[in-house]
Amino acid sequence: MTTFSFTALALGAITLIVPGAASAQQRVSSNAPLFSSAPLFRSAPLFGSAPLFSSAPLSAGEAPASPQQSNVPDQAKQAESAVTDAVKKFRIGVFGGIGLDPELIEFGAHAAFGPFFGDNVVFRPGFDIGVGEITTQLGLNLDALYILPGSTTSTRWVPYVGAGVNFALSHEGFEEPAPEDAEDAEQDDEDRFDFSDTDFESGLNFIVGMRSQRGMFFEMRATAYGVSAIRLLAGFNF
């Protein structure tokens, strides 16, 4: 009798507990969300909205600070500007090349003035220095160039011809050392080639060349009548 009543009480308790747990589980799964909808972090911006630099206007009499001040003095700036204006005004150019007769390495500079007597004629004075094995030459050239017609601003290379006067100061020097043997000295005195000569001569230049719109030029200059020389030159007009 006692065993039967204990068993009946246990079955009744299980019957009451199981439906209650099931209904509680059903209410949790149907109504309550699994995770809370509250944000994990606040929505405050990472950086403040205040500007990095203040936009407050400058007070009266306060000059804005210069980001970088130049250390170049005003006199140097004026000198640089004057040189730049002179180069553009006189169209200064430089050149270099070789001389074929005599064999020289040539370099020099010139300027251009004009046009004169039309749009195609310019006056181009200049000087050049030639250095060779036995010859050193300093020349002054007073040339007039004629730009061949038919070229436009879109023409890449413009041909020209020219002529002028050349004044040259040339120095030739060659010295052969005397033999160290005293017996051969007397024999070689008559054959020794030792001279130094300086001459001033003038001649006429004849020029054929072409120049680009960007300043590069190539030309051949031949000099005759007093100074015989042929030069192949390349240069740039600023």
Side-chain angles (χ1 to χ4, degrees), residues 31-51:
N31 297 329
L34 181 60
F35 298 100
S36 175
S37 58
L40 182 61
F41 300 99
R42 294 182 179 272
S43 59
L46 182 60
F47 299 99
S49 60

Side-chain angles (χ1 to χ4, degrees), residues 8-102:
L9 292 175
L11 292 175
I14 293 172
T15 304
L16 294 175
I17 294 173
V18 171
S23 61
Q25 183 178 4
Q26 183 178 3
R27 287 196 303 271
V28 170
S29 59
S30 60
N31 297 329
L34 181 60
F35 298 100
S36 175
S37 58
L40 182 61
F41 300 99
R42 294 182 179 272
S43 59
L46 182 60
F47 299 99
S49 60
L52 183 60
F53 299 98
S54 175
S55 59
L58 297 175
S59 59
E62 182 179 355
S66 176
Q68 183 177 3
Q69 296 181 355
S70 176
N71 295 325
V72 180
D74 294 338
Q75 295 180 353
K77 292 181 179 180
Q78 294 176 0
E80 181 182 0
S81 178
V83 171
T84 303
D85 294 341
V87 169
K88 293 181 178 179
K89 180 179 180 180
F90 299 111
R91 289 173 285 176
I92 295 176
V94 294
F95 59 86
I98 58 174
L100 302 181
D101 185 17

Side-chain angles (χ1 to χ4, degrees), residues 2-233:
T2 305
T3 303
F4 175 78
S5 61
F6 180 79
T7 303
L9 292 175
L11 292 175
I14 293 172
T15 304
L16 294 175
I17 294 173
V18 171
S23 61
Q25 183 178 4
Q26 183 178 3
R27 287 196 303 271
V28 170
S29 59
S30 60
N31 297 329
L34 181 60
F35 298 100
S36 175
S37 58
L40 182 61
F41 300 99
R42 294 182 179 272
S43 59
L46 182 60
F47 299 99
S49 60
L52 183 60
F53 299 98
S54 175
S55 59
L58 297 175
S59 59
E62 182 179 355
S66 176
Q68 183 177 3
Q69 296 181 355
S70 176
N71 295 325
V72 180
D74 294 338
Q75 295 180 353
K77 292 181 179 180
Q78 294 176 0
E80 181 182 0
S81 178
V83 171
T84 303
D85 294 341
V87 169
K88 293 181 178 179
K89 180 179 180 180
F90 299 111
R91 289 173 285 176
I92 295 176
V94 294
F95 59 86
I98 58 174
L100 302 181
D101 185 17
E103 296 180 356
L104 300 173
I105 298 176
E106 299 264 348
F107 56 92
H110 58 237
F113 301 90
F116 300 99
F117 310 107
D119 296 335
N120 296 340
V121 179
V122 296
F123 175 60
R124 193 185 72 177
F127 71 94
D128 57 74
I129 300 175
V131 179
E133 184 177 0
I134 62 175
T135 304
T136 303
Q137 190 175 82
L138 175 64
L140 176 64
N141 303 289
L142 304 177
D143 299 324
L145 303 181
Y146 176 73
I147 301 172
L148 298 180
S151 60
T152 61
T153 55
S154 60
T155 304
R156 185 174 180 180
W157 292 95
V158 179
Y160 62 88
V161 295
V165 182
N166 172 269
F167 301 98
L169 180 66
S170 60
H171 172 79
E172 295 180 346
F174 182 83
E175 183 176 356
E176 181 180 352
E180 297 178 358
D181 193 351
E183 296 179 356
D184 297 334
E186 296 179 359
Q187 181 180 357
D188 293 335
D189 282 341
E190 297 179 359
D191 299 333
R192 184 183 307 167
F193 182 56
D194 183 6
F195 73 93
S196 179
D197 189 12
T198 301
D199 294 329
F200 179 78
E201 297 175 337
S202 60
L204 295 179
N205 291 330
F206 299 95
I207 300 171
V208 177
M210 61 176 59
R211 63 177 177 84
S212 69
Q213 299 289 354
R214 297 183 178 181
M216 181 70 68
F217 70 90
F218 300 93
E219 72 178 36
M220 182 186 70
R221 182 192 306 165
T223 308
Y225 303 107
V227 180
S228 298
I230 298 176
R231 300 175 179 86
L232 302 177
L233 305 174

